[in-house]
Amino acid sequence: MNRPVLLVIAHGSRDPRHAATVQALVRRAGALRPGLRVETAFLDFNLPSVPGVLDRLAADGVRDVVALPLLLTRAFHAKADIPAVLRQAPPSLSIRQAEVLGPSPLLIAAVERRLYEAGLTPGDKSATGVVLASAGSTDPEAIAVIAETARELRRTGWCSVRPAFASASLPRTEEVVRLVRTDPGVHRVAVAPYVIAPGRLPDRIAAGAAEADVLADVLGPSPELAALLVERYDGATAHATTRVATAV
């Protein structure tokens, strides 16, 4: 029996680094499942578009698709934009929408990987405060998930971890850097961008990290993130309840 195609749906950006990073991540995830057909599509700014890829899959005779939102939280794109575009897919396609990436212990591991790559070590954790800087959202559910992710990261041993946001919600990165600096026991401050790929908002996070001691990289094509894509694919294929109704 043929496995469903994995269609990874990213937001897209005018910044060419965004699409390049997404493609690198998807290639790494695909390498974990040899023989699995993996496609990438973008909601905006970049090609291929989601409708374009769905039409091509239908033309190729594909019947089953797992659509995976490349999103860290269940905000507007996951709740509205992606289901809307999937409902317009060719009727021959049976589509299941996978869960978004967060929350997950693999994301915590990816954040820590980037912090270590930026020069920190596990021995630095007890004296280091971390600003977990996300893109931001107006969705209370998404904000709550970011706050819980910060708490989970703190439980791994960092001296202090506080969330910050580049847009839509407060506080901003630069404000939280100053706040964490005053937390008891903090001798250095690191900013960990909780975003997948470079772009305008990650650049805003980097600018807000000017007074920090350490700035980590975006999550990008980390091994943990690649493994999480496969994990979400497996979860969707195991549960028929994620099936998305297409347009009649």
Side-chain angles (χ1 to χ4, degrees):
M1 182 177 178
N2 290 332
R3 288 179 289 182
V5 170
L6 171 57
L7 173 59
V8 179
I9 302 177
H11 181 270
S13 171
R14 292 186 178 89
D15 189 320
R17 297 174 298 168
H18 176 91
T21 301
V22 169
Q23 296 286 7
L25 171 60
V26 173
R27 284 194 300 271
R28 188 161 202 169
L32 297 176
R33 284 293 171 83
L36 175 64
R37 181 170 176 178
V38 183
E39 300 280 352
T40 309
F42 298 90
L43 286 173
D44 206 354
F45 302 118
N46 303 107
L47 292 175
S49 67
V50 179
V53 174
L54 292 172
D55 287 345
R56 174 159 52 81
L57 291 174
D60 289 347
V62 170
R63 292 293 176 264
D64 292 310
V65 177
V66 168
L68 172 57
L70 196 64
L71 302 168
L72 297 175
T73 61
R74 267 183 48 80
F76 184 79
H77 294 306
K79 294 177 179 178
D81 286 347
I82 291 177
V85 73
L86 293 178
R87 283 193 292 269
Q88 302 305 312
S92 62
L93 292 177
S94 178
I95 303 175
R96 306 174 194 184
Q97 183 174 326
E99 294 294 331
V100 297
L101 301 180
S104 169
L106 286 168
L107 289 171
I108 300 295
V111 169
E112 291 202 298
R113 172 185 290 275
R114 295 307 188 216
L115 286 166
Y116 297 150
E117 289 173 347
L120 295 172
T121 70
D124 295 324
K125 294 173 81 166
S126 62
T128 301
V130 178
V131 179
L132 188 70
S134 74
S137 174
T138 58
D139 189 302
E141 179 185 350
I143 297 301
V145 168
I146 297 299
E148 178 57 27
T149 301
R151 288 190 289 270
E152 288 297 323
L153 183 61
R154 169 69 180 81
R155 292 183 188 112
T156 68
W158 298 95
C159 182
S160 170
V161 180
R162 294 177 181 265
F165 307 95
S167 70
S169 39
L170 295 172
R172 295 286 182 258
T173 304
E174 53 270 29
E175 177 185 346
V176 181
V177 167
R178 299 183 190 111
L179 185 61
V180 169
R181 183 82 68 187
T182 67
D183 285 343
V186 170
H187 293 168
R188 70 184 66 78
V189 178
V191 173
Y194 193 61
V195 292
I196 294 173
R200 179 176 57 87
L201 294 180
D203 283 350
R204 188 178 294 176
I205 290 171
E211 296 179 18
D213 303 296
V214 175
L215 172 61
D217 201 357
V218 300
L219 301 178
S222 65
E224 296 84 2
L225 208 54
L228 183 53
L229 265 61
V230 174
E231 183 178 292
R232 292 292 185 255
Y233 171 83
D234 289 342
T237 57
H239 297 89
T241 55
T242 58
R243 200 171 294 275
V244 176
T246 54
V248 177

